[in-house]
Amino acid sequence: MSAPHGGPVLSLDTLVRLGRGLRTPGPLRRLPVPEGMTAPLGCDAVAMPARLGHWVMPRLPRVGCVYADGTHWWWLVPADSDQALEWPAPVHYATGAVLPDAERLPGLLHRPEGTLPYTPPIPLYLALCRVTGTAPSWSRQVSA
């Protein structure tokens, strides 16, 4: 296929693949699931500034694995917990629990009893909305 002016037409898939090829990522660092635990639903992570973590933790009915360094806390959640949710700023959602810019992995701050490492994503999302003063995405008014 060619463009009206004779050049090739690039599909969106091709452009995305080319764009990804331009990046030179460092080593990918993935938050580990602690020994003796299983992650049957896969793992993603929700990162937030440490100051928010101190406010969020007591608001949750169950806390899964939480990793921390001096500035951020990362919460393991089931994979695809970002579907249909707009996590509030300054929260960062890390697919695959990958921390690509981290020089080293943070330490394990909290490990739950049992074998599942997850914090339930909806209570985590609602707690984060509360402490950041953000309305949950499903309660916002939709314009026509």
Side-chain angles (χ1 to χ4, degrees), residues 6-47:
V9 174
L10 300 176
S11 72
L12 184 56
D13 289 338
T14 302
L15 291 172
V16 169
R17 190 172 58 252
L18 289 171
R20 287 181 181 156
L22 293 175
R23 296 186 204 133
T24 54
L28 293 180
R29 300 193 195 305
R30 183 180 315 270
L31 292 173
V33 174
E35 190 173 322
M37 299 189 101
T38 61
L41 302 176
C43 275
D44 289 346
V46 176

Coordinates of all heavy atoms in Angstrom, one line a residue, residues 6-47:
G6 N 3.0 8.7 -3.0 CA 4.0 7.6 -3.4 C 4.8 7.0 -2.3 O 5.4 6.0 -2.5
G7 N 4.7 7.5 -1.0 CA 5.4 6.9 0.1 C 4.6 5.7 0.7 O 3.4 5.6 0.5
P8 N 5.3 4.9 1.5 CA 4.6 3.8 2.1 C 3.7 4.3 3.2 O 3.9 5.3 3.9 CB 5.7 2.9 2.7 CG 6.8 3.8 2.8 CD 6.7 4.9 1.8
V9 N 2.6 3.6 3.5 CA 1.7 3.9 4.6 C 2.0 2.9 5.7 O 2.1 1.7 5.5 CB 0.2 3.7 4.1 CG1 -0.7 3.8 5.3 CG2 -0.2 4.6 3.0
L10 N 2.2 3.5 6.9 CA 2.5 2.7 8.1 C 1.2 2.6 8.9 O 0.6 3.6 9.2 CB 3.6 3.4 8.9 CG 4.9 3.6 8.1 CD1 5.9 4.3 9.0 CD2 5.5 2.2 7.7
S11 N 1.0 1.4 9.3 CA -0.2 1.1 10.2 C 0.2 1.6 11.6 O 1.3 1.8 12.0 CB -0.6 -0.3 10.2 OG 0.4 -1.1 10.9
L12 N -0.9 1.8 12.4 CA -0.6 2.2 13.8 C 0.2 1.1 14.6 O 1.1 1.5 15.3 CB -2.0 2.4 14.5 CG -1.9 2.9 16.0 CD1 -1.1 4.2 16.1 CD2 -3.3 3.0 16.5
D13 N 0.0 -0.2 14.3 CA 0.8 -1.2 14.9 C 2.2 -1.1 14.6 O 3.1 -1.3 15.4 CB 0.3 -2.6 14.5 CG -1.1 -3.0 15.1 OD1 -1.4 -2.4 16.1 OD2 -1.7 -3.8 14.5
T14 N 2.5 -0.8 13.3 CA 3.9 -0.6 12.9 C 4.5 0.6 13.6 O 5.7 0.5 14.1 CB 4.0 -0.4 11.4 OG1 3.4 -1.6 10.8 CG2 5.4 -0.2 10.9
L15 N 3.8 1.7 13.7 CA 4.3 2.9 14.4 C 4.6 2.6 15.8 O 5.6 3.1 16.4 CB 3.4 4.1 14.2 CG 3.2 4.6 12.8 CD1 2.1 5.6 12.7 CD2 4.5 5.2 12.3
V16 N 3.7 1.9 16.5 CA 3.9 1.6 17.9 C 5.1 0.7 18.1 O 6.0 1.0 18.9 CB 2.7 0.9 18.5 CG1 3.0 0.4 19.9 CG2 1.5 1.9 18.6
R17 N 5.3 -0.3 17.2 CA 6.4 -1.2 17.3 C 7.7 -0.4 17.1 O 8.7 -0.6 17.7 CB 6.3 -2.3 16.3 CG 7.3 -3.4 16.5 CD 7.0 -4.7 15.6 NE 7.0 -4.3 14.2 CZ 5.8 -4.3 13.4 NH1 4.7 -4.6 14.0 NH2 5.9 -4.0 12.1
L18 N 7.7 0.5 16.1 CA 8.9 1.3 15.8 C 9.3 2.2 17.0 O 10.4 2.4 17.4 CB 8.7 2.1 14.5 CG 8.7 1.4 13.2 CD1 8.3 2.3 12.1 CD2 10.1 0.7 13.0
G19 N 8.2 2.8 17.6 CA 8.4 3.7 18.7 C 9.0 2.9 19.9 O 9.9 3.4 20.6
R20 N 8.6 1.7 20.2 CA 9.1 0.9 21.3 C 10.5 0.5 21.0 O 11.4 0.4 21.9 CB 8.3 -0.4 21.5 CG 6.9 -0.1 22.1 CD 6.1 -1.3 22.3 NE 4.9 -1.0 22.9 CZ 3.8 -1.7 22.8 NH1 3.8 -2.9 22.2 NH2 2.7 -1.3 23.4
G21 N 10.9 0.3 19.7 CA 12.2 -0.1 19.3 C 13.2 1.1 19.6 O 14.4 0.8 19.7
L22 N 12.7 2.3 19.6 CA 13.6 3.4 19.8 C 14.1 3.6 21.2 O 15.2 4.1 21.5 CB 12.9 4.7 19.4 CG 12.6 4.9 17.9 CD1 11.8 6.2 17.7 CD2 13.9 4.9 17.1
R23 N 13.3 3.1 22.2 CA 13.7 3.1 23.6 C 14.8 2.1 23.9 O 14.9 1.1 23.3 CB 12.5 2.8 24.5 CG 11.4 3.7 24.3 CD 10.3 3.4 25.3 NE 9.1 4.0 24.9 CZ 7.9 3.3 24.8 NH1 7.9 2.1 25.3 NH2 6.8 3.9 24.4
T24 N 15.7 2.5 24.7 CA 16.8 1.6 25.1 C 16.6 1.4 26.6 O 17.2 2.1 27.5 CB 18.2 2.2 24.8 OG1 18.2 3.5 25.4 CG2 18.4 2.3 23.4
P25 N 15.7 0.5 27.0 CA 15.4 0.3 28.4 C 16.6 -0.3 29.1 O 17.3 -1.1 28.6 CB 14.2 -0.6 28.4 CG 14.3 -1.4 27.1 CD 15.0 -0.4 26.1
G26 N 16.7 0.0 30.4 CA 17.7 -0.6 31.3 C 17.1 -2.0 31.7 O 16.1 -2.4 31.2
P27 N 17.7 -2.6 32.6 CA 17.2 -3.9 33.1 C 15.9 -3.7 33.7 O 15.6 -2.7 34.5 CB 18.3 -4.3 34.1 CG 19.0 -3.1 34.5 CD 18.9 -2.2 33.4
L28 N 14.9 -4.6 33.4 CA 13.6 -4.5 34.0 C 13.6 -5.1 35.3 O 14.1 -6.2 35.5 CB 12.6 -5.2 33.1 CG 12.3 -4.5 31.7 CD1 11.3 -5.4 31.0 CD2 11.9 -3.1 31.9
R29 N 13.2 -4.4 36.3 CA 13.1 -4.9 37.7 C 11.6 -5.1 38.0 O 10.8 -4.2 37.9 CB 13.7 -3.9 38.6 CG 15.2 -3.7 38.3 CD 15.9 -3.0 39.4 NE 17.2 -2.4 39.1 CZ 18.2 -3.0 38.6 NH1 18.2 -4.2 38.3 NH2 19.4 -2.3 38.4
R30 N 11.3 -6.4 38.4 CA 9.9 -6.7 38.7 C 9.8 -7.0 40.2 O 10.7 -7.7 40.8 CB 9.6 -8.0 37.9 CG 8.2 -8.5 38.0 CD 7.9 -9.7 37.2 NE 8.4 -9.7 35.9 CZ 7.7 -9.2 34.8 NH1 6.5 -8.8 35.0 NH2 8.2 -9.2 33.6
L31 N 8.8 -6.5 40.8 CA 8.6 -6.8 42.2 C 8.3 -8.3 42.4 O 7.5 -8.9 41.7 CB 7.4 -6.1 42.8 CG 7.5 -4.6 42.9 CD1 6.2 -3.9 43.3 CD2 8.6 -4.2 43.9
P32 N 9.1 -9.0 43.3 CA 8.9 -10.4 43.4 C 7.7 -10.8 44.3 O 7.3 -10.0 45.2 CB 10.2 -10.8 44.1 CG 10.6 -9.6 44.9 CD 10.1 -8.4 44.1
V33 N 7.1 -11.9 44.0 CA 6.1 -12.5 44.9 C 6.9 -13.3 46.0 O 7.8 -14.1 45.6 CB 5.2 -13.4 44.1 CG1 4.2 -14.2 45.1 CG2 4.4 -12.6 43.1
P34 N 6.7 -13.0 47.2 CA 7.5 -13.7 48.3 C 7.4 -15.2 48.2 O 6.4 -15.7 47.8 CB 6.9 -13.1 49.6 CG 6.3 -11.8 49.2 CD 5.8 -12.0 47.8
E35 N 8.5 -15.8 48.6 CA 8.5 -17.3 48.7 C 7.3 -17.8 49.5 O 7.0 -17.3 50.5 CB 9.8 -17.7 49.3 CG 10.1 -19.2 49.1 CD 11.5 -19.6 49.6 OE1 12.4 -18.8 49.3 OE2 11.6 -20.7 50.2
G36 N 6.7 -18.9 49.0 CA 5.6 -19.5 49.6 C 4.3 -18.9 49.3 O 3.2 -19.4 49.7
M37 N 4.3 -17.8 48.4 CA 3.0 -17.2 48.0 C 2.9 -17.5 46.5 O 3.9 -17.8 45.8 CB 3.1 -15.7 48.2 CG 3.2 -15.3 49.7 SD 3.0 -13.6 50.0 CE 1.3 -13.6 50.6
T38 N 1.6 -17.5 46.0 CA 1.4 -17.7 44.6 C 0.5 -16.5 44.1 O -0.2 -15.9 44.8 CB 0.6 -19.0 44.4 OG1 -0.7 -18.9 45.1 CG2 1.3 -20.2 44.9
A39 N 0.7 -16.3 42.8 CA -0.1 -15.2 42.2 C -0.8 -15.7 41.0 O -0.5 -15.5 39.8 CB 0.9 -14.1 41.7
P40 N -1.9 -16.5 41.2 CA -2.6 -17.1 40.1 C -3.3 -16.2 39.2 O -3.6 -16.5 38.0 CB -3.7 -18.0 40.9 CG -3.9 -17.3 42.2 CD -2.5 -16.7 42.5
L41 N -3.5 -14.9 39.6 CA -4.1 -13.9 38.7 C -3.1 -13.0 38.0 O -3.4 -12.0 37.4 CB -5.1 -13.1 39.5 CG -6.2 -13.8 40.2 CD1 -7.1 -12.9 41.0 CD2 -7.1 -14.6 39.2
G42 N -1.8 -13.3 38.2 CA -0.8 -12.4 37.7 C -0.6 -11.3 38.6 O -1.4 -11.1 39.6
C43 N 0.4 -10.4 38.4 CA 0.6 -9.3 39.3 C 0.9 -8.0 38.5 O 1.6 -8.0 37.6 CB 1.9 -9.5 40.2 SG 1.5 -10.5 41.6
D44 N 0.3 -7.0 39.0 CA 0.6 -5.6 38.6 C 0.9 -4.9 40.0 O 0.8 -5.5 41.0 CB -0.6 -4.9 37.9 CG -0.8 -5.4 36.5 OD1 0.1 -6.1 36.0 OD2 -1.9 -5.1 35.9
A45 N 1.3 -3.6 39.9 CA 1.6 -2.9 41.1 C 1.0 -1.5 41.0 O 1.0 -0.9 39.9 CB 3.1 -2.8 41.4
V46 N 0.6 -1.0 42.1 CA 0.2 0.4 42.2 C 1.2 1.1 43.1 O 1.4 0.7 44.3 CB -1.3 0.5 42.9 CG1 -1.7 1.9 43.1 CG2 -2.3 -0.3 42.0
A47 N 1.8 2.2 42.5 CA 2.8 2.9 43.3 C 2.3 4.3 43.7 O 1.5 4.9 43.0 CB 4.1 3.1 42.4

